[in-house]
Amino acid sequence: MTQTYVIKETDVQALASAESFARGQHYFHDGAVLEVTRRGNLITAFVQGNDYEPYRVQVTLADFGIAETSCTCPYEQGGICKHIVATLLTSIHQPEAITEKPPIATLLADLTAEQLRQILLAVAEVG
């Protein structure tokens, strides 16, 4: 099922503190959002922050809006962090920057049991 909900800036503001939203706007305008990918209702991104390695952001959308968010940064002040804000602002204002990919379930749907087993074994060896 394709997500039809359109994220609005007011949705993002409602999830963030005023400070996180303002800082996220700066990150967005400064081009800190490096990669944004969308697979169905899942948006992932890498956002350059204070660490050497970019932070990984995930946003899950639902029919009613933003269902779930996560970021690898240590932010624990309440609401969403500036990296999630920057990612969402990118998806609102620069949709052309998003790489669209099919959902994982779609990619796996036509595989045989043996092909799926090989993928699971390969993933298990990496982890």
Side-chain angles (χ1 to χ4, degrees):
M1 179 174 157
T2 303
Q3 183 276 124
T4 57
Y5 186 83
V6 177
I7 304 168
K8 298 178 284 305
E9 202 164 300
T10 53
D11 299 328
V12 181
Q13 286 176 312
L15 294 173
S17 69
E19 182 180 351
S20 283
F21 186 80
R23 294 179 77 189
Q25 283 182 307
H26 288 295
Y27 272 55
F28 165 67
H29 290 298
D30 291 346
V33 182
L34 306 177
E35 297 175 37
V36 184
T37 303
R38 182 167 178 176
R39 290 185 179 273
N41 290 345
L42 179 65
I43 297 172
T44 59
F46 290 96
V47 182
Q48 190 61 57
N50 295 327
D51 257 4
Y52 176 74
E53 292 289 324
Y55 296 110
R56 181 174 169 78
V57 171
Q58 287 193 335
V59 176
T60 304
L61 304 175
D63 291 337
F64 60 84
I66 300 164
E68 192 175 343
T69 63
S70 67
C71 181
T72 58
C73 78
Y75 180 78
E76 294 181 357
Q77 306 302 314
I80 60 175
C81 69
K82 60 191 173 190
H83 309 107
I84 295 171
V85 170
T87 298
L88 290 169
L89 292 176
T90 298
S91 70
I92 294 167
H93 299 295
Q94 295 178 340
E96 71 282 357
I98 300 173
T99 301
E100 294 276 346
K101 294 185 178 181
I104 298 295
T106 302
L107 294 174
L108 299 176
D110 294 331
L111 297 180
T112 66
E114 181 57 30
Q115 290 170 320
L116 291 170
R117 192 173 5 269
Q118 291 303 317
I119 290 171
L120 286 172
L121 288 171
V123 169
E125 287 177 6
V126 172

